[in-house]
Amino acid sequence: MKGMNTEDFVDQLMDTDGCVRHKSFVYHFSGLRHHAGRGTWRVSVEKYRWTKEPFEDFMELVYSYESDDPEDCMDHLLEDVLWDGKSFYELEKALTWIDW
C-alpha cells in the first residue's frame, strides 16, 4: 500500500475507518463496528467517485460481512474477494492510502 504501512492500515480498521484510492475511485472501509442490540460485529467497504468533497458521490457497497466474532469479521475482510476478483492482500500493492 502506498502512503501507509499495510499492517498499520489493518490495525487502524480495528478502531476506526480508513480510505484508499484505486483506479480513480475511493474505497471507504468502515472499520470494525459492534451492533450492541444484536451482539454482532460488522465490516464493510463502500465505493465512491473521487471528488473534492469526501463521500459526496456514493456508487455502491462492494463488501459487507457480519459475525458474532470480531476476529472472524477481520479475517473475512482480509481474505474474501472484495473487488476486481481479488482479496485485500492481493489488491494492497495497487492501493494508495488517503486521508479523505
Side-chain angles (χ1 to χ4, degrees):
M1 177 178 297
K2 299 168 194 130
M4 180 182 256
N5 177 284
T6 302
E7 294 307 316
D8 290 344
F9 181 78
V10 171
D11 288 345
Q12 173 184 321
L13 296 179
M14 297 294 289
D15 298 317
T16 188
D17 299 355
C19 291
V20 296
R21 274 189 77 178
H22 180 61
K23 294 184 179 177
S24 303
F25 299 104
V26 174
Y27 293 87
H28 175 253
F29 287 71
S30 69
L32 190 59
R33 301 273 195 268
H34 185 249
H35 187 286
R38 290 197 308 252
T40 59
W41 296 85
R42 182 174 186 252
V43 289
S44 63
V45 181
E46 299 170 337
K47 182 179 181 179
Y48 293 85
R49 289 191 204 287
W50 176 253
T51 60
K52 290 183 181 181
E53 290 297 319
F55 313 117
E56 182 177 63
D57 198 358
F58 174 78
M59 294 183 69
E60 65 181 312
L61 177 68
V62 297
Y63 182 79
S64 181
Y65 185 79
E66 188 171 317
S67 174
D68 295 342
D69 179 9
E71 188 173 317
D72 180 52
C73 274
M74 291 304 294
D75 288 346
H76 275 272
L77 176 67
L78 301 174
E79 297 169 10
D80 289 353
V81 171
L82 298 182
W83 66 84
D84 290 349
K86 296 181 179 177
S87 71
F88 175 80
Y89 284 118
E90 292 171 320
L91 285 166
E92 67 94 8
K93 289 186 188 325
L95 304 178
T96 301
W97 172 83
I98 57 171
D99 185 15
W100 200 35

